[in-house]
Every structure is written in C-alpha cells, then in structure tokens.
Amino acid sequence: MRTLSTPLRAGALIGVLALAPLILAPGVLFYYDVTPKVLVALGGTAIALAAGGAVMRAEGRELRRLRVLLAVQAVSLTVSTLFSADPTLSVTGTGWRRFGLVAQLALLLYTALLPCVKVSHLLRAVAASGSLAAALGIAQYFGWDPWNPKQGYFIGEGVWTIVRPPGSLGHADYFGVYLVYVIFSGVALAWGEAERGEEARAWRWIGRGAAAAGAAALLLTGSRGAMLGLAAGAAALAVRRRPRITLRRAALAGALLAGLAGFYFSPAGVLLRARTRWYREDPGGGGRLTLWGDTLRMAGSRWLAGYGPETFSSRFPRFESEGLAKEFPDRYYESPHNLFLDALAGQGVPGLLALALLAALALRAARGAGARAEALAAGFAGALIAGQFVSFTLPTALLFYATAATLCALPARATQPAAVPGLVRWPAALLLVSAAAWLGWSDWQLARTSRALDAGRVEEGMDRYQRLRRFQPPGFDTDLWYSRALLAAAPKMRPEVAARRAWQEAFAAAQRAAAGSEQRANAYYNLAAFYALQNDFPHTEESLRAAMEWAPRWYKPRWMVAQLLQRAGRLNEAAVEARRAAELNAGKNAEVIDTWEHIRALTAQHR
C-alpha cells in the first residue's frame, strides 16, 4: 500500500489544538476573542484535508464506534438546522461563540482526522499552549493584561471587588473548564513520556509545569464548577491509581496546603476572599437549577429535532419561569449553562444521545489502556462535571472531542491510514476555507466600522457597514449593535443633512434587528426607543408589546408600556402593566415601584 505523506496534515491538526484556545485579535476583529478561534479551526481542518486528510482504519472497536457517533452527530446537527426556528442563525452561530452548523461540522471532521496524530504530540500541544493560557490568567488576576479590557472581568467596588480572569477564552467559567483538560493532559504527558533522553525529560517537566500552572490559574478563576471538576477528576485518578502515601508526599501536600492558605489570607488574596463572599450570597450559582428546569420545559415542546443550534438566546425568554425572572430580572441567558441541555435544546433527543454516548465511549475506552489513559480519562470526567455548569464554546468543545478521540485511539493496535477520496476532501476543504474567509472578512469589516464610529468618522463608518451588509454571511447578526452605536454617534455629525442620514440608517438597522436578531425581545425594545424619539406612540406601543410577546416575563417593556399608556390617559391599562412590571422586577429597581405607585395614585384620583 502506498504510504501517505502526513507531516503537513499532522502539523495542521496539532496547530489547531495548540492555537485555537490561545489566539486573540484585538484591534483587528470585532469579536476578537471568538472569531479568531473559529478561523483557526476552519482553516486548520481545511489544510489537514488538502494535505491528504485521513481517517484511521483500525481493529479497535472504539475508533469505529467513534466514527459512527460523529456521523450521527453530524446528521443530527444538519437536520436540526434544516428545521431550526432560525436556520440562518443556526448555520453561522451567535456572536458570543459562533458555534453554529459550520463550526460544529468542521469540529466533527477534525475529530475524525485526529487519531492519525501521535498521542504524545497532542499532549505536548495541549500542555504547552495551556501553560501559556494559564500564565495569562494568573497575570490577569494581578492586574496585567495587554489585550482584554479589565472592566470586563473586574466586578464590584471597594472590598467587594472580585476578579474573574478569563485567560484567552473570554470568560472565567469557560477558561476554568479548559484548564481542567490542561491539568490532566499535563499529568498524562508527565506519566506517558517513557522515552529516554533530554527531549523526553524536558517534555515531562513541561507536563508537570502545565499541571501546576493550570491548577493555580483555575483557583484564581473562582469557577466553582471547574473546581468541582478538578476535585472529582483528582479523586477518580487517586482511586484508580491508589498512590502510596509516603512521608515525603504527605509533607509536600502539607506544604502546598499551607502555601494556599497563606496566599488566601495574604493581601494578594483579597480578591479571592471577596469571591468567597460572593459564593455565600449566591449559593445557587445564578439560579442554574431553575434555568435547567425551564430549559427542559422548552426542549419538551420540540424534543425530536430541537430548536436548532444557537437559537437558545432568542427562543428561551418565552419559556423563562416567573421565579427565574424575578430572581434575575435583567439577566440575559445566552445558553442553558449545561452542555447536555444545550444539545437537547438545540438538537433534540438524538443530539443529546449522540453526545452522551460519545462521552461514555471515551471513558470506557480508557479502561486498561495504561496510566496515560487513566490521567486523560480523569480529566475528561472532571471536565464533563464542570461542563454541567457551562455550555460548549469552540475551545472547550475542541478539547472535549480531541480528548475523546485520543482515548478511543489509545486501545487501537493494528491501524493504517486510509485516504479520504479527493472528490470528498477537496470540496470540503474549499468550503471550509471559503467559510473562514467570509467570516473573517465580515468581522474585520465590522471592527473597522466600530473604530470609525468611535473616532467620530461617522460617514466612513456608515459606508463600511453598508459594504459589510452587501457581503456578510447569513445569520451574521450585527444590526442591533449598529443601530445603537450609530444613534450615539449621530448627534456629533455636521451638517444636519449628514446627521439625518445617520439617524435614518440607525432606524433602518433597528427595524432589521427586530425582524431577525438573536436577541429578539431586546431588539424590539430598542426599536420602541426609536419610535418614541419620533413621538410615534402607536408604533412604540406595538414594538413594546412585541418585546413582551418574545419575553413575557421581562419587566422592562411592561414598565415602558405603563408609562406610555399613562401619558395617553389610558390609566386602567397603565395600572395593569405597571403592577405586573413591579411584580416581575421583584423590588430590584426602586424606579419601577415608583412608577407603579404613581400610576396607582393617579388611577385612584380619577375614579
């Protein structure tokens, strides 16, 4: 059999694993911590295909079953997108993670190709890049960050200030899940490099360093779910390996605990202590149990195919319970904060089963495959536990699938590379490259629009946005942002004719956003503000009631409707809406109660 040339393919696959979690592009792209990761995944997978992409034909049943489950997942995603409540959004994905059909299919294809790469090389990539990400997270805790705006993760004031270092993943919770994979991959690398020589010894030390740096960074994230996952993974590994307790190990553990306690109670640990106070005030983790119950109710109405990938943010508000709305009246739920419920809501029961079976297959494959597999399986299980409190983003999904593929490949013995037919791999590679170029250009153009508006070059910003609109991918939802940004910039313009053009463009963007935004209720609320500025009260009321229809238990549009009806003299109707707004706000904002009491007093006077 002819031997396939694989170095470029292997390098591309390893590059995705190392670079995707790390890459940021501030000043270049608008979604600078999201889009670059998607571009790396799409581009790297395309290169791997073009370089002679291969899957493994193996005697190991785990790899065969893995390929079947990946195919089932691909079919489920495609069907769910075809029957999606918003197909264009499901294809491209939402702005906060861009994890639609295109990105997920690329990830599944990447996973199918990954077993062709040596396990040690994959572990090295995760440990090396994870060490850099952990170092960034530690630096962020101490106030040094050259890329991310600090106001995004320093929360509160005075002694109540906490810091949630996001690393390079955009949020501390996703960063924490990623670090669980890094820690145990480092352990696996330290245990699995059996070769002798300086290079192998160096990689063992890099593995140990990744585990140590990852654990330190994870602690500083303050992510309870990630800490629980780390503890569970460590406990599972200890039970499996049954390490012998020696005086030296006990002394080392004691010194480590003493060091942690010293840091916690030192001046440097003040932000961590503040985070502990936040834990005590919010033991329920932001109402997650209620959120999960509401998500199950939502999924029950479309259990077979789901609402489509990435449609949760627009469809969930109709299913939000009154209890959750009252507890967190201004909170926006971009996902169910649970990776399995996310699959259920987006893809229905078939997608959930495929994901759960794949996780079970990976854990089962680790049995009897050696110390390295046991370390990886412990990390995989720990990350699964942490994933019950967050949904996938591309980096965490990448590590999930990569670890699963690695565990399934470890038991395989007799394997040989089988080429993907050119009629399949070349069109697939071209589609991936085209999608990456399209998305990258659109995000770059959006960043240039934003910079122009911020600098007061409003006409330039409008021209750039019109160019973007002509060529942007379907589902690339930016009209809500643009309408607000342009409305804020319009008063700075001279002459009046130019300002009027900016106003008209902002208004048109607000109308488009209401017709197809991923935040539909918010978009209608924004449109109501535009009508109100024109004293168009009928359309203002119509837009606010549309917002109420999309988010029945959101207090804010009801509060605005009540004030609008009061001005129109419809006091009885105003009283109904004002009372309901006050109930849903649950006393969180004094001005909402003031509105209700004022309208109630006016109503009593007119009886």
Side-chain angles (χ1 to χ4, degrees):
M1 177 178 178
R2 183 171 62 88
T3 302
L4 294 175
S5 177
T6 62
L8 179 58
R9 181 185 66 231
L13 295 171
I14 293 169
V16 170
L17 198 58
L19 190 57
L22 280 178
I23 189 168
L24 299 167
V28 178
L29 298 177
F30 186 82
Y31 297 103
Y32 68 92
D33 57 351
V34 175
T35 302
K37 303 178 189 309
V38 178
L39 299 183
V40 167
L42 295 178
T45 305
I47 292 172
L49 280 171
V55 294
M56 297 298 288
R57 184 183 296 127
E59 292 181 358
R61 62 184 177 181
E62 290 83 3
L63 278 177
R64 292 196 295 271
R65 290 174 177 175
L66 174 69
R67 290 198 297 272
V68 170
L69 288 173
L70 293 176
V72 170
Q73 187 73 288
V75 171
S76 170
L77 283 165
T78 304
V79 171
S80 296
T81 300
L82 289 173
F83 292 95
S84 172
D86 191 339
T88 57
L89 185 60
S90 290
V91 169
T92 309
T94 51
W96 75 274
R97 65 174 176 175
R98 287 279 172 249
F99 202 54
L101 177 68
V102 173
Q104 293 199 53
L105 288 182
L107 186 57
L108 296 177
L109 182 56
Y110 173 88
T111 307
L113 298 171
L114 200 60
C116 299
V117 182
K118 288 181 65 175
V119 171
S120 60
H121 291 172
L122 298 177
L123 294 177
R124 291 175 180 183
V126 174
S129 64
S131 297
L132 295 175
L136 175 61
I138 294 169
Q140 288 169 336
Y141 177 88
F142 290 103
W144 183 84
D145 189 344
W147 298 295
N148 299 285
K150 297 175 185 177
Q151 61 269 25
Y153 56 89
F154 275 82
I155 307 164
E157 297 179 357
V159 296
W160 293 101
T161 301
I162 65 170
V163 58
R164 304 290 313 281
S168 53
L169 273 77
H171 192 279
D173 288 338
Y174 308 123
F175 186 40
V177 176
Y178 166 72
L179 288 171
V180 174
Y181 288 110
V182 171
I183 291 165
F184 288 94
S185 293
V187 173
L189 182 62
W191 288 358
E193 290 287 348
E195 300 89 349
R196 296 184 179 183
E198 291 299 322
E199 183 181 358
R201 188 178 301 112
W203 280 111
R204 283 196 291 272
W205 278 108
I206 289 173
R208 296 183 186 112
L218 191 151
L219 175 67
L220 297 179
T221 65
S223 174
R224 286 174 283 187
M227 292 180 193
L228 178 62
L230 174 60
L237 190 58
V239 169
R240 187 71 182 170
R241 300 296 297 172
R242 294 191 180 92
R244 188 165 58 91
I245 299 176
T246 64
L247 182 60
R248 180 183 176 184
R249 288 176 177 173
L252 183 62
L256 179 61
L257 290 174
L260 288 174
F263 174 80
Y264 182 81
F265 290 106
S266 73
V270 64
L271 297 172
L272 210 53
R273 295 197 297 276
R275 178 62 178 159
T276 303
R277 289 197 293 268
W278 282 52
Y279 289 157
R280 292 197 295 267
E281 291 188 353
D282 181 24
R288 275 184 171 84
L289 289 176
T290 310
L291 173 62
W292 295 342
D294 293 349
T295 302
L296 285 172
R297 194 156 45 83
M298 170 186 171
S301 61
R302 292 186 66 165
W303 62 271
L304 187 57
Y307 281 84
E310 292 278 65
T311 58
F312 185 86
S313 58
S314 66
R315 305 294 154 171
F316 173 74
R318 285 180 170 170
F319 297 90
E320 182 181 11
S321 63
E322 190 161 322
L324 186 61
K326 288 180 176 179
E327 190 175 2
F328 303 100
D330 283 306
R331 183 160 293 183
Y332 164 67
Y333 294 99
E334 78 291 341
S335 77
H337 292 199
N338 180 290
L339 63 90
F340 289 122
L341 289 180
D342 196 20
L344 177 63
Q347 298 171 241
V349 172
L352 170 64
L353 287 177
L355 187 65
L357 288 173
L358 194 149
L361 173 66
L363 291 172
R364 189 174 185 275
R367 296 170 62 182
R372 184 169 58 178
E374 289 176 357
L376 280 177
F380 187 77
L384 272 180
I385 291 172
Q388 302 316 297
F389 305 96
V390 293
S391 295
F392 276 143
T393 59
L394 189 135
T396 57
L398 174 67
L399 268 294
F400 171 87
Y401 282 105
T403 306
T406 302
L407 288 170
C408 289
L410 281 172
R413 295 295 179 261
T415 61
Q416 58 182 357
V420 177
L423 289 176
V424 174
R425 63 185 177 91
W426 283 109
L430 182 59
L431 285 173
L432 291 175
V433 169
S434 300
W438 201 359
L439 176 61
W441 178 87
S442 299
D443 203 311
W444 173 71
Q445 194 69 21
L446 185 63
R448 297 180 76 188
T449 300
S450 178
R451 287 197 299 273
L453 294 179
D454 290 342
R457 303 191 305 272
V458 182
E459 291 189 80
E460 177 190 337
M462 288 190 292
D463 291 339
R464 291 195 181 284
Y465 193 77
Q466 290 308 314
R467 195 177 309 154
L468 167 64
R469 282 196 62 227
R470 288 195 293 271
F471 299 106
Q472 69 184 17
F476 193 80
D477 173 36
T478 56
D479 280 324
L480 180 57
W481 166 83
Y482 180 63
S483 69
R484 290 171 170 170
L486 196 52
L487 181 63
K492 305 172 187 176
M493 296 188 68
R494 296 291 184 272
E496 185 178 338
V497 174
R500 190 179 304 119
R501 179 199 165 197
W503 161 263
Q504 291 170 345
E505 277 207 28
F507 182 37
Q511 291 174 311
R512 292 193 302 270
S517 172
E518 63 192 57
Q519 302 179 47
R520 198 66 60 85
N522 202 0
Y524 271 112
Y525 185 82
N526 177 65
L527 180 59
F530 276 85
Y531 281 123
L533 288 171
Q534 300 174 76
N535 294 321
D536 186 343
F537 294 115
H539 281 103
T540 302
E541 180 183 355
E542 180 184 339
S543 299
L544 289 170
R545 292 197 180 279
M548 291 160 56
E549 182 181 349
W550 279 93
R553 280 160 285 281
W554 185 25
Y555 78 93
K556 195 169 282 188
R558 294 182 184 276
W559 179 37
M560 291 294 106
V561 161
Q563 296 175 67
L564 187 71
L565 294 174
Q566 177 209 328
R567 294 192 185 101
R570 296 155 60 184
L571 292 178
N572 289 331
E573 295 176 72
V576 171
E577 297 300 346
R579 178 179 179 179
R580 184 60 175 150
E583 289 175 352
L584 293 172
N585 185 255
K588 299 294 194 301
N589 300 92
E591 56 269 29
V592 180
I593 298 175
D594 291 343
T595 299
W596 156 232
E597 291 178 346
H598 176 65
I599 293 176
R600 181 174 59 177
L602 288 176
T603 306
Q605 291 174 10
H606 284 77
R607 284 177 179 169

